[in-house]
Amino acid sequence: MKFSIERASLMKAVAQAQSVVERRNTIPILANVLIEAEGDTVQFRATDLDIEVVDRAPAKVDRAGSTTIAAVTLNEIVRKLPDGALVTLTEDGAAGRVTIQAGRSTFSLATLPREDFPVMATSDYATTFTAAAPVLRRLFDKAKFAISTEETRYYLNGVYMHVAEGDSGPVLRCVATDGHRLARIDAPLPDGAAGMAGVIVPRKTVGELRKLLDDDDLQVEVSVSDTKVRFATPSITLTSKVIDGTFPDYTRVIPQGNTRRLEVDAAAFARAVDRVATVSSERSRAVKLQLDEDRLVLSVNAPDSGAAEEELAVAYSDERLEIGFNAKYLLEIANQVDRENAVFMFNGSADPTLMREGNDMSAVYVVMPMRV
């Protein structure tokens, strides 16, 4: 195998592949990237047995072939090469080495047999549809902060992507929750997605998918089966196992009868919460909200470290209310707001609070209060 490729193309492909590779591996081949050169394309494939990413890049292939080399080492080498360099990779099968040349630099890396490299079994996908990158980016970006990190409740360790009934017809919906906060994000249902089975996309997959979605003009093909989900662009295919579990009925925790309405500038609110939370104890991070007519007072009282208070002008016309929240949860939810104003709907000081952007119901967040 021998091919020449521009550093920029190689960097992009190898960076995506090596991020899938687990740093601590008991199986040596899983630390490697499988490189396959044929025609005028080189394919880079990496896996951790749960996720597989295949990246294609144009190259001048002198001799077709395939081999595997250490993904992280290759990434480090390419990253440190000068911009605009032409990189040549040559495999010496007999010696079990790959030589990497760029300008006056030469590197020699050990290879492992390509036959040992595990390729994810192909799946019959029941549903395939196409969605614009910005649509998928919004769905997953706005939901992922609420993904649970508790391994015991493994079915919450991802984003639940499914078809649901929205206010004005069927929607593609992403939901994530950890029991303390919940995010429910809707997008218009793409053609062909109607019969899709709901799947829980794992946290790591959500992180890898995000790297595919920076180009606003990109169309992404999404394929779903009972056990796998695949996201494909013209140059990258990301395949992942889905979490084998049942996502809980989240509709039960979204409050319907909250009537006390607070409207506040989201950015000003987030900055104020961040300021007063500076003195709160790390463990509880509790912030108290005191609501009066058109006035919100944020306060923190931490006996061991101090106290803080800040007042904000808001739109609120209901009866007086005192309610406490975890500052981190409030900040994360306030940071999801794209428009100027966030609308909070309260019931009582012990009831879940609902937040949305203005009157837009396509992004709804729920946060549980805490005693302060």
Side-chain angles (χ1 to χ4, degrees):
M1 180 185 79
K2 181 180 182 182
F3 64 89
S4 301
I5 184 169
E6 287 182 4
R7 176 193 173 269
S9 302
L10 182 59
M11 180 77 230
K12 188 167 172 287
V14 173
Q16 180 85 35
Q18 68 91 33
S19 67
V20 169
V21 170
E22 288 289 345
R23 291 292 186 271
R24 293 183 300 280
N25 251 320
T26 50
I27 309 169
I29 194 78
L30 292 183
N32 282 19
V33 57
L34 171 61
I35 303 172
E36 299 169 295
E38 195 176 339
D40 56 0
T41 305
V42 179
Q43 199 165 262
F44 299 84
R45 187 187 297 262
T47 183
D48 67 356
L49 298 181
D50 290 324
I51 303 174
E52 180 186 74
V53 65
V54 180
D55 217 311
R56 291 167 290 279
K60 180 179 177 289
V61 179
D62 297 323
R63 203 166 56 243
S66 59
T67 190
T68 82
I69 54 177
V72 175
T73 312
L74 177 61
N75 183 59
E76 284 298 298
I77 289 170
V78 177
R79 190 173 63 80
K80 292 171 182 176
L81 291 174
D83 282 342
L86 186 69
V87 186
T88 303
L89 276 81
T90 311
E91 182 203 10
D92 181 347
R97 296 264 157 187
V98 163
T99 306
I100 302 163
Q101 286 177 300
R104 295 182 177 182
S105 305
T106 304
F107 304 88
S108 179
L109 297 182
T111 66
L112 285 172
R114 71 137 301 167
E115 292 74 29
D116 296 349
F117 194 88
V119 174
M120 197 175 264
T122 53
S123 218
D124 289 332
Y125 294 101
T127 308
T128 299
F129 61 91
T130 302
V135 171
L136 290 175
R137 190 168 67 217
R138 175 181 173 273
L139 281 171
F140 284 97
D141 270 6
K142 286 182 171 292
K144 66 184 180 187
F145 76 91
I147 295 174
S148 173
T149 53
E150 271 184 55
E151 297 302 325
T152 49
R153 301 166 78 186
Y154 63 93
Y155 49 85
L156 298 181
N157 293 162
V159 172
Y160 182 43
M161 180 175 74
H162 60 297
V163 176
E165 197 61 38
D167 291 341
S168 54
V171 292
L172 181 62
R173 176 174 288 174
C174 281
V175 178
T177 183
D178 65 356
H180 303 290
R181 61 253 163 97
L182 177 144
R184 189 199 78 189
I185 318 297
D186 292 348
L189 190 68
D191 292 340
M196 183 183 88
V199 288
I200 307 171
V201 184
R203 184 197 304 107
K204 183 175 175 181
T205 309
V206 172
E208 292 303 323
L209 171 63
R210 181 64 187 81
K211 297 168 191 170
L212 275 62
L213 304 176
D214 283 329
D215 183 354
D216 284 355
D217 300 328
L218 204 60
Q219 292 291 320
V220 182
E221 186 184 79
V222 183
S223 306
V224 178
S225 74
D226 290 343
T227 55
K228 291 197 185 81
V229 61
R230 185 181 69 196
F231 301 92
T233 73
S235 61
I236 300 173
T237 303
L238 176 69
T239 310
S240 169
K241 292 179 182 175
V242 298
I243 292 173
D244 182 15
T246 305
F247 201 80
D249 180 9
Y250 60 87
T251 54
R252 295 211 321 267
V253 297
I254 298 176
Q256 303 296 331
N258 287 13
T259 53
R260 299 178 180 182
R261 186 178 194 274
L262 160 71
E263 189 162 345
V264 59
D265 181 305
F269 177 74
R271 287 194 297 268
V273 170
D274 197 23
R275 279 193 291 270
V276 297
T278 312
V279 298
S280 70
S281 62
E282 271 306 308
R283 233 186 21 253
S284 69
R285 302 268 297 168
V287 173
K288 184 156 78 171
L289 280 65
Q290 291 167 283
L291 285 157
D292 270 324
E293 182 125 2
D294 292 342
R295 179 169 162 263
L296 166 65
V297 177
L298 296 162
S299 62
V300 168
N301 194 352
D304 45 351
S305 56
E309 189 174 289
E310 182 161 339
E311 191 175 313
L312 286 174
V314 297
Y316 181 79
S317 55
D318 284 284
E319 59 203 71
R320 195 169 185 278
L321 176 69
E322 284 192 7
I323 188 167
F325 292 104
N326 181 311
K328 178 171 170 276
Y329 298 165
L330 273 189
L331 270 176
E332 286 178 335
I333 284 181
N335 286 333
Q336 303 306 318
V337 179
D338 296 327
R339 298 193 177 91
E340 276 188 18
N341 286 358
V343 172
F344 288 86
M345 301 296 291
F346 301 98
N347 186 29
S349 59
D351 301 311
T353 295
L354 186 133
M355 195 279 278
R356 60 175 193 255
E357 302 176 37
N359 292 319
D360 181 11
M361 291 300 288
S362 72
V364 169
Y365 308 92
V366 179
V367 59
M368 297 297 291
M370 63 188 289
R371 294 226 309 274
V372 286

